[in-house]
């Protein structure tokens, strides 16, 4: 609850607007915390009167008090009214690309192909995996993100009603992980979608099919849950990760990643 920001705009007689957000600590490879604006709405009769702008200023004030330096969101490029609002609120295109993949069961492997090694064991993420996940993330990022990963583990294990995060083991040791959650309406989604915001493979096990095995199992699990799409957000400079995701069937989303700096006091 301390990481959620939920605002309402009131007239003398009724609520005329809402803004729902949360504080993210490092999703999608970001450095530092950011406020994530997940939903915003203004009563049609009150649109054009500055309600949305006042809510944005109130959100910024709360983020500033928590020393959060940026607010991020997403919008469909075809939603012109929403894009005009974000433009007027000072948002810019973020240096990240949103990728999406339809969810359907993965094809079975071709049994005629020679199998070079046994596939890794892929299982659900558990609370006892924090140390291994933190170690892999540190090898990849050069940073100790224990606080973020601990909070993320709590989120996907305790706050989410649907467990979709996975780890891969080799010889009993965790060598890769992927954290995701099922979204039921964030950023204006009308279909059930899942968002994968953290993934990592031990550098010593790269290019051995570990990440493919993880995502294949995740796609199969999401398909069984009738989730329609899997999304992720990747820095435009993460060329190797982008190449892998494109090869795995991801493609550019019709949604834009937007961000704005929180003005200092």
């Amino acid at each position: 609850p301390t990481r959620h920001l939920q605002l309402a705009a009131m007239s003398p007689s009724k609520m005329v607007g809402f803004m729902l957000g949360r504080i993210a600590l490092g999703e999608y490879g970001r450095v530092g915390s950011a406020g994530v604006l997940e939903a915003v709405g203004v009563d049609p009769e009150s649109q054009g009167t500055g309600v949305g702008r006042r809510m944005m200023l109130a959100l910024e004030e709360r983020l500033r008090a928590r020393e959060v330096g940026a607010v991020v969101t997403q919008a469909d490029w075809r939603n012109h009214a929403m894009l005009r609002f974000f433009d007027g609120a000072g948002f810019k295109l973020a240096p990240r690309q949103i990728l999406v993949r339809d969810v359907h069961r993965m094809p079975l492997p071709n049994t005629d192909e020679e199998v070079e090694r046994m596939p890794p064991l892929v299982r659900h993420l558990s609370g006892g995996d924090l140390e291994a996940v933190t170690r892999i993330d540190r090898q990849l990022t050069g940073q100790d993100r224990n606080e973020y990963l601990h909070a993320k583990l709590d989120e996907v294990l305790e706050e989410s009603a649907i467990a979709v995060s996975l780890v891969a083991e080799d010889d009993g040791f965790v060598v890769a992980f992927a954290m995701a959650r099922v979204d039921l309406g964030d950023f204006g989604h009308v279909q059930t979608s899942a968002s994968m915001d953290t993934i990592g493979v031990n550098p010593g096990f790269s290019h051995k099919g570990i990440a493919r095995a993880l995502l294949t199992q995740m796609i199969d699990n999401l398909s069984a849950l009738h989730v329609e799409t899997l999304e992720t957000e990747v820095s435009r400079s993460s060329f190797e990760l982008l190449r892998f995701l494109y090869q795995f069937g991801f493609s550019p989303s019709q949604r834009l990643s937007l961000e704005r700096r929180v003005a200092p006091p």
Side-chain angles (χ1 to χ4, degrees), residues 7-145:
L7 308 178
M10 305 297 297
S11 75
S13 59
K14 64 178 181 178
M15 187 177 78
V16 296
F18 67 89
M19 187 170 283
L20 307 179
R22 61 187 173 88
I23 296 176
L25 301 176
E27 285 86 339
Y28 308 114
R30 294 190 190 98
V31 177
S33 59
V36 181
L37 177 57
E38 296 179 325
V40 59
V42 175
D43 187 301
E45 295 180 358
S46 300
Q47 291 180 8
T49 63
V51 172
R53 184 174 183 275
R54 290 197 292 274
M55 287 194 295
M56 187 65 70
L57 291 174
L59 177 69
E60 184 180 71
E61 180 181 350
R62 286 159 174 77
L63 291 173
R64 188 185 302 113
R66 302 187 190 197
E67 298 183 341
V68 177
V71 56
V72 299
T73 191
Q74 297 178 10
D76 192 305
W77 73 271
R78 296 161 295 193
N79 190 336
H80 303 149
M82 186 60 72
L83 289 176
R84 280 196 300 272
F85 168 72
F86 285 134
D87 181 29
F91 281 82
K92 307 291 184 183
L93 278 175
R96 296 180 297 276
Q97 185 174 8
I98 301 171
L99 303 180
V100 62
R101 188 193 192 282
D102 289 337
V103 169
H104 52 76
R105 288 193 178 277
M106 300 291 289
L108 294 174
N110 184 351
T111 55
D112 294 332
E113 294 180 0
E114 181 181 355
V115 179
E116 296 183 0
R117 66 195 305 271
M118 289 294 293
L121 169 66
V122 178
R123 61 168 175 81
H124 283 295
L125 179 76
S126 70
D129 295 321
L130 176 60
E131 182 179 350
V133 167
T134 301
R135 183 174 61 253
I136 294 170
D137 184 78
R138 187 185 302 115
Q139 290 176 297
L140 295 170
T141 65
Q143 303 175 47
D144 185 356
R145 301 202 302 164

Side-chain angles (χ1 to χ4, degrees), residues 160-255:
S160 176
I162 304 175
V164 295
S165 298
L166 304 171
V167 298
E169 290 185 356
D170 185 272
D171 198 24
F173 294 95
V174 173
V175 296
F177 65 92
M179 296 187 187
R181 57 192 174 89
V182 175
D183 294 327
L184 302 175
D186 293 355
F187 308 120
H189 284 114
V190 295
Q191 79 275 25
T192 304
S193 64
S195 176
M196 180 179 68
D197 51 40
T198 311
I199 185 171
V201 178
N202 184 316
F205 290 83
S206 59
H207 306 294
K208 293 185 178 181
I210 304 290
R212 176 170 290 275
L214 266 178
L215 291 191
T216 296
Q217 187 63 59
M218 182 175 287
I219 290 289
D220 280 350
N221 293 352
L222 292 172
S223 176
L225 294 168
H226 303 290
V227 175
E228 297 180 44
T229 59
L230 175 62
E231 280 192 358
T232 191
E233 198 170 329
V234 183
S235 167
R236 291 199 292 262
S237 62
S238 298
F239 302 118
E240 186 173 353
L241 180 56
L242 285 168
R243 181 173 60 85
F244 165 73
L245 292 172
Y246 277 121
Q247 290 176 343
F248 192 77
F250 282 84
S251 59
S253 169
Q254 298 301 305
R255 311 180 71 78

